[in-house]
Amino acid sequence: MLEISEIIQEKVAEHGRERKALLPILQSIVNLKNYIADKDMVQIAEALDISAADVYGTASFYSFLETEEKGKYVIRVCKSITCEMKGKHCVLKALEDTLKVKLGETTHDGLFSLEQANCLGLCDVGPAMLINEQPYTKLTPDSVHEIITEYRNKVK
Amino acid sequence: MANNQLKRVDIIFSPYSVAPYEILRLTMHKEKSDVINELIESGLRGRGGAGFPTGLKWKYLAAEQDSEKYIICNADEGEPGTFKDRKLLVEVPRKVFSGMAIAAYVTGAKIGFLYLRREYRNLIPQLNKELDIFNESAKKFGLDFKISIFSGSGAYVCGEETALIESMEGKRGEPRNKPPFPIQNGYLGKPTLVNNVETFASTSMICRIGADKYKALGTDDQHGSKLFSISGDSPKEGVHELELGMKISDFVEEFGDGDTKAVQIGGVAGFCIPRKQFETSIIGEGNTTGGATMIFNSTRSMYNVLHNYLDFFAEESCGQCTPCRVGTQQLLKGIEAVKSGKKPASYLDDLIKLSKTMQITSKCGLGQSVTNSFASIIENFREEMIY
Ligand SMILES: Cc1cc2nc3c(=O)[nH]c(=O)nc-3n(C[C@H](O)[C@H](O)[C@H](O)COP(=O)(O)O)c2cc1C
Ligand code: SF4
């Protein structure tokens, strides 16, 4: 598995030791382990010669740059008005039931985090959600159960 | 249903020309100034929402003397109810990249970026494959211009062009003061062209069919065709290309479910048009041109709709300026207070005033446009806010 320092090195080689390397670095870390830890931010700050507070300030601005530990799979249910009209609430309820967590929580096995997101750009095929980067559309309580079962089987 | 006012068009999703990037190759045989003039002549306006004339913007960038210039395609598409750019990038990315390359040819830019919202990250492998073909073709045609993808990190406000640039520079996506505009002072302080995905695709289609043919579409006031993202209570949800200048009543007849009570035009930053104004409103006149149209039927609570919008604005406000940061929260709390009876109905008028103040005092389009949907919903569906 890639180390944080290797990610930093790789991105600095690509973008230079400059501020514009920051978001690509943060994104790669999130892709690797789904969140950016405090000590990672300090390390990045040193590498780019900016303050750690700056790194945190930037990371915390963006909804996909998590700064707290998340599950292996982050589920983001679209909460925009059209998905709501098509039954988002039932989908969310089904997710809470099958995962046995509330919105904003992570399952005990560390597999799933349940979140909401603003418009995912899937309004004509809602209700919609992302699991990490994979979109799922026209969700129903039944299809949600199937999808989650598939993910559970994948890691078994 | 038969309808003579509303005309479907099939330009932007039409099949590719035979050889990859043939439009680009042919356009590179034309004089640069002719290409720009053709675009100006076509009447094309930006499809990202603000509607600035595209040809003029290109002309300004061409006139900049800097040797380093950037072309950025804005694929941050975060406006609730909008999904046309996604469809373009999935189905006809070549037209989008052609448009960017033609812009590079006429302005002398050498580097291009596709700023792709984080939510669309699953499209990257496919887009990179197409970019390989593009970069190869550009080299073959002798065009010194390379495009790469910059992935967003999840923030609606980064669709605003200066916030987008801040974010590409590794900072919080907080909009800058304008002027200076990106055309003079953009990415890394260099002259930068930012256009929407659909705008670039349209420019390559204008180069293909010619300004005259494009201009003949639409009405005297609004030329050309445009993509509409249609969602909500409609049996025909999806992306539709239509001639501009149509009446909302015709639109509703074609796309509504027979029981349409209101149409949201231009996404949540746009206007909510009630049934009684369908006959007299023309899409794109006085309401924005982003193309998001959400249809609500009579079973929908407009209070819930407005609550959902305000929740969105309050969350996506970058927080940089007070009228927007505090205003969005107060509007949300305000309608809740009226609904629960803690405030009298007349408080709604105070809230509308607050939203108008936000329009004048906010720094960017986010805070400035909240009043559009806010005032139009409260004024037209007042009882629903109270009872
Ligand atoms: C809050 C906010 C969000 C925006 N989001 C987008 C967007 O997602 N896509 C887009 O093309 N333009 C968006 N814009 C408009 C851009 O600032 C800019 O006007 C546009 O990209 C210019 O391209 P065009 O001339 O081709 O429309 C947004 C503006 C504001 C104020
Ligand atoms: S209007 Fe809102 S989003 Fe725009 S700069 Fe001000 S606080 Fe940020």
Side-chain angles (χ1 to χ4, degrees), chain A residues 61, chain B residues 157 160 173-176 313 316-326 328 358 361-368:
Chain A
F61 184 85
Chain B
V157 72
E160 197 283 333
E174 292 176 348
R176 299 174 178 169
F313 283 128
E316 296 293 342
S317 165
C318 83
Q320 193 186 183
C321 60
T322 316
C324 170
R325 182 184 65 243
V326 181
T328 48
M358 289 166 62
T361 52
S362 294
K363 185 169 175 181
C364 86
L366 192 152
Q368 290 160 6

Side-chain angles (χ1 to χ4, degrees), chain B residues 44-54 57-58 72-79 82 84-85 115 117 155-164 175 178 182 193-200 269 289 312-313 316 364-369:
Chain B
L44 176 68
R45 286 170 176 273
R47 301 304 195 208
F52 191 84
T54 306
K57 217 185 212 180
W58 288 25
I72 299 176
C73 177
N74 187 343
D76 198 46
E77 189 168 64
E79 186 70 46
T82 316
K84 64 182 177 77
D85 294 343
Y115 188 100
R117 71 187 300 224
Y156 165 66
V157 72
C158 285
E160 197 283 333
E161 53 190 6
T162 60
L164 180 149
K178 290 194 275 193
L193 175 79
V194 183
N195 272 134
N196 173 259
V197 176
E198 185 188 347
T199 311
F200 279 123
T289 55
F312 169 79
F313 283 128
E316 296 293 342
C364 86
L366 192 152
Q368 290 160 6
S369 62

Side-chain angles (χ1 to χ4, degrees), chain B residues 1 76 84 109-111 217 241 257 278 321 332 360 383:
Chain B
M1 188 169 292
D76 198 46
K84 64 182 177 77
K110 295 190 176 56
I111 296 178
L217 299 169
E241 185 174 6
D257 64 356
F278 287 172
C321 60
L332 182 58
I360 310 168
E383 327 77 57

